[in-house]
Amino acid sequence: MSVPDPIREGLARGWKAIDAATLAADRELECDVAIVGSGAGGGVTAEILTAAGLSVVILEEGPLVGSTEFRMREREAYPRLYQESAARQTLDKAITILQGRCVGGGTTVNWTSSFRTPPRTLAHWNKAYGLDALTESALAPWFARMEERLSIGPWGMPPNENNDVLRRGATKLGIAHGAIRRNVKGCANLGYCGMGCPLNAKQSMLVTTIPAALDRGATLVHRARVTRLVAEGDRVVACDAFGVERNGAQQSARRVRVRARHFVLAAGAINTPAILISSAIPDPNGLAGKRTFLHPTVVSGSAFAQKVEGYYGAPQTVYSDHFLDGVALDGPMGFKLEAPPVHPILAGITLPGFGADHARWMTRFPNLQVLIALMRDGFHGESPGGQVVLRSGWPVLDYPLNDYVWNGVRRAYLAMAEIQFAAGAQSVMPLHEGAQPLTSWREAKGAIEALTLRPLHSRVVSAHVMGGCPMGSDPRAAVVDDGGRHHHVQNLSIHDASTFPTSVGANPQLTIYALAARHATGLAATLKA
């Protein structure tokens, strides 16, 4: 079957796309709005601003890659499409962070899970941060708009076995669970969403908003690392970017300077604060990069008699919020349960142990099932998150894990193990260097209670980075207002997850879409006035 490639077709139509890594001379561009980042926030913003008749330049550090180049191979996708080749880590190396680095950003490589912002999260933001305009009812039209635009809706296929374990185990234990909505159209249920969709079924920014913006005349500068914003007083006058061929490559000496009336940062919740810090953007209260949050995520593996083949089928279709909804925001750390895809490289680098111990799990790879617990961080006084810092000019997230988090980790290991045994697992093992395969719930309960939990022993990962440039009504406690406008710089906005005052407590892409649509619509009206 021949599948159209909208990227190749658009380039053939004459899209204005500049590969900064191949430039032989410096370039200067001018526009109404320069957008740094092409993911969920940048893509939505670009479409809305170009639809309003504004000229836009989009700058993206990663490459422009179309569906004909997505071959469902981990060894190709991770180095090409992810930050630091899918090996980005916190300062102490205790947490591995998966973030997109390509046109479309995380939307090109995520697993399509689409949740509206939980009402309790919005209520907390209203009360604690003065975000009175961001109520559930006020945001409902923006969620609806983006759900329609990106084909977000129920997934009609039965869950694959990897996800059905969560459904069966939760059902047997009386644990509430539900089906995850997905942003797909014409999905063939391949299961390789994390490597880029070869069928253009995933309605990422790569195949929706970015092509729409380019068709309206936007300019895309890709393989371009933005190093600084050039500020004069309380205004940004330009941004500078340099070509970068690939992950780990030294940046080019050739500069792309973009001058604009307005600048939008949408580079993600590690890179956006880093740009502000490296540019010495006015920050009288030293907030940029502080209170950066993850959903610290821990993993429980299990082995079944039957084949699970978690590498086939829609990657995430079942979830449980039982351990979120049943916990007060100011109580113990709550967590969301999901089942991630199980691909060999991702599993191999996550499974604990070495040599024969590691090989035993890999030999049973087709029978391996995995659950993850996404920890809700930022709501309690003992969960301050982390801080983005610069090391030799490179952004790094310093994210200490304290007893409050470890208490949540232990409870999550216990919950996942009980569900896996209830679904019929022959053995269960929390992904922890001190753990061994456990063959009964009773044995697992005692072993998990006895685990020593500390960094680099428990495998902790995250695909969700939030905060660091929080929204709020008080300029002394927030970087941007409830419209995403910088409190201290007149012509600077932020349209990504760095504006979240806490973690969301759910996969964040739909929250980013809705807020970016709201912020961009307001910005377009202001610039067109």
Side-chain angles (χ1 to χ4, degrees), residues 50-260:
T50 54
L54 296 163
S55 60
V56 168
V57 172
I58 308 161
L59 298 113
E60 167 58 50
E61 183 178 325
L64 175 61
V65 185
S67 54
T68 50
E69 298 178 77
F70 295 147
R71 301 194 294 175
M72 303 192 299
R73 296 175 181 171
E74 289 179 280
R75 61 186 174 88
E76 295 176 2
Y78 297 153
R80 194 174 194 189
L81 305 177
Y82 286 76
Q83 287 282 355
E84 301 176 39
S85 302
R88 174 168 266 186
Q89 294 179 315
T90 51
L91 184 63
D92 63 359
K93 314 299 183 188
I95 307 175
T96 298
I97 301 169
L98 298 179
Q99 287 184 296
R101 182 185 171 275
C102 55
V103 174
T107 73
T108 299
V109 296
N110 70 19
W111 300 332
T112 78
S113 301
S114 301
F115 294 89
R116 292 190 178 191
T117 316
R120 286 211 298 174
T121 297
L122 291 175
H124 178 75
W125 291 359
N126 300 161
K127 181 178 179 181
Y129 301 99
L131 295 171
D132 300 333
L134 303 186
T135 63
E136 185 179 5
S137 60
L139 287 179
W142 300 107
F143 284 124
R145 172 177 172 173
M146 296 315 301
E147 287 162 352
E148 180 178 7
R149 173 68 180 96
L150 301 174
S151 301
I152 294 171
W155 174 238
M157 297 285 288
N160 66 4
E161 177 66 8
N162 191 52
N163 280 267
D164 202 51
V165 165
L166 175 55
R167 183 196 64 80
R168 293 198 312 267
T171 299
K172 186 171 182 180
L173 296 172
I175 292 172
H177 58 281
I180 298 175
R181 295 186 304 158
R182 308 181 65 219
N183 61 313
V184 294
K185 182 166 62 176
C187 177
N189 209 27
L190 297 177
Y192 287 76
C193 304
M195 281 140 258
C197 181
L199 303 178
N200 305 306
K202 177 166 39 175
Q203 298 300 284
S204 68
M205 303 299 95
L206 179 68
V207 299
T208 56
T209 61
I210 296 296
L214 293 172
D215 282 339
R216 295 192 186 103
T219 297
L220 172 66
V221 187
H222 57 102
R223 296 207 293 177
R225 177 179 296 149
V226 173
T227 58
R228 67 167 184 150
L229 303 177
V230 182
E232 294 180 0
D234 64 351
R235 295 187 64 82
V236 176
V237 297
C239 69
D240 287 342
F242 294 85
V244 57
E245 184 178 0
R246 63 187 181 277
N247 267 306
Q250 184 175 0
Q251 67 188 35
S252 165
R254 301 304 180 190
R255 184 186 72 186
V256 179
R257 170 162 284 190
V258 183
R259 301 182 185 277

Side-chain angles (χ1 to χ4, degrees), residues 307-323:
K307 286 188 176 181
V308 175
E309 298 180 326
Y311 36 86
Y312 291 140
Q316 288 186 321
T317 55
V318 178
Y319 76 99
S320 174
D321 280 348
H322 175 82
F323 300 96

